[in-house]
Amino acid sequence: MSRRSGILEFAVLGLLRESPMHGYELRKRLNTSLGVFRAFSYGTLYPCLKTLVANGWLIEESGNTPEDALAAPLAGRRAKIVYRLTAEGKEHFEELLSQTGPDAYEDEHFAARFAFFGQTSRDVRMRVLEGRRSRLEERLEKMRASLARTRERLDDYTLELQRHGMESVEREVRWLNELIESERAGRDVKGSATEDTSRGASDGPAPQLSTSGETGGLPRHRDDSRPDPSDDTTT
């Protein structure tokens, strides 16, 4: 399984943990709530869903009412499929949430992980945030060293582009510093509270980003092909 498909599977499981959805609704949520998935197509999503069903992590159900089920054959329409997370799928997603390996610090994977921080325990959030910060600080050092070596050979526009890239990384490092400090402050206040590990969420105040697009208690950042719904049907 490629890293990119693994990110998509993680996000699909996370969204379906909130509620069952049919494919068109799921695709819309991936686009609007998790911007990193704007480039994913239906041709990518449906094989992913089929894989998750085959693994026993999702089940397919008819999403129509009894009246719709009777009317669909008469109208020549096919019944929509709703995808529902199984108990095994929920357990697998919670296992993925607990992982803090190097992949969690990469650009796309970090964005997906961050979107589900509201369902992640505080200690895991801290490890992911600190790992991401360390990764960006390494990247920033390499960018500065490269710029120092090549500055004299670059024209003004290329030089400006490199500076812009460095400033973007610096802004994210500052943002991560704010998040980490917020997490530490929450731990100091609620350090003796017992975390609800069965739900993967902490009791203390902590930065959260809901998949509906609201930021909750996060510090604010300083800078601020439509598919065919008929594809989302049984064969």
Side-chain angles (χ1 to χ4, degrees):
M1 181 177 64
S2 71
R3 176 182 297 176
R4 194 166 175 82
S5 63
I7 299 170
L8 180 58
E9 290 185 7
F10 172 83
V12 167
L13 292 171
L15 290 174
L16 292 177
R17 189 175 188 261
E18 298 176 0
S19 65
M21 302 181 203
H22 56 74
Y24 178 69
E25 181 183 7
L26 187 57
R27 166 69 171 158
K28 185 176 180 180
R29 290 290 303 281
L30 287 167
N31 281 340
T32 58
S33 301
L34 304 174
V36 66
F37 296 105
R38 290 195 180 102
F40 280 88
S41 66
Y42 259 65
T44 303
L45 175 59
Y46 278 101
C48 172
L49 290 169
K50 295 299 182 184
T51 297
L52 295 175
V53 170
N55 288 339
W57 297 330
L58 302 181
I59 57 173
E60 298 176 332
E61 300 175 340
S62 172
N64 290 334
T65 64
E67 292 79 9
D68 291 337
L70 291 173
L74 299 176
R77 292 184 284 110
R78 295 172 294 176
K80 289 184 177 181
I81 296 174
V82 168
Y83 296 91
R84 182 185 299 275
L85 197 65
T86 64
E88 292 80 5
K90 181 180 179 182
E91 182 179 346
H92 179 62
F93 178 68
E94 290 174 350
E95 179 183 346
L96 294 176
L97 277 180
S98 69
Q99 295 178 2
T100 58
D103 282 352
Y105 316 148
E106 299 299 334
D107 295 346
E108 289 184 342
H109 207 151
F110 173 76
R113 287 298 303 269
F114 190 81
F116 295 99
F117 262 21
Q119 303 177 42
T120 306
S121 63
R122 181 181 287 121
D123 63 323
V124 171
R125 290 197 301 264
M126 282 291 292
R127 287 198 295 271
V128 172
L129 290 172
E130 289 174 341
R132 174 65 174 175
R133 181 177 63 180
S134 177
R135 181 63 51 86
L136 289 182
E137 287 173 341
E138 292 174 3
R139 184 183 302 175
L140 194 56
E141 284 302 310
K142 291 179 181 179
M143 294 172 74
R144 287 170 176 161
S146 175
L147 184 59
R149 289 193 307 268
T150 61
R151 181 187 299 272
E152 299 302 324
R153 301 194 300 271
L154 299 177
D155 62 62
D156 290 343
Y157 295 101
T158 304
L159 185 61
E160 191 61 30
L161 184 62
Q162 292 207 9
R163 285 173 176 162
H164 174 70
M166 287 177 53
E167 289 171 359
S168 297
V169 177
E170 288 169 346
R171 282 195 299 270
E172 185 171 348
V173 170
R174 290 195 297 269
W175 175 68
L176 289 167
N177 285 335
E178 291 181 2
L179 292 174
I180 290 169
E181 288 306 310
S182 294
E183 291 285 353
R184 287 175 176 165
R187 177 177 293 162
D188 290 340
V189 173
K190 295 289 187 178
S192 60
T194 302
E195 291 190 350
D196 183 2
T197 54
S198 64
R199 293 174 59 86
S202 63
D203 294 327
Q208 294 183 8
L209 177 67
S210 73
T211 51
S212 62
E214 297 180 359
T215 57
L218 286 175
R220 295 288 181 179
H221 200 294
R222 296 298 193 272
D223 305 313
D224 287 325
S225 70
R226 184 180 178 88
D228 182 358
S230 64
D231 290 341
D232 185 26
T233 56
T234 58
T235 54

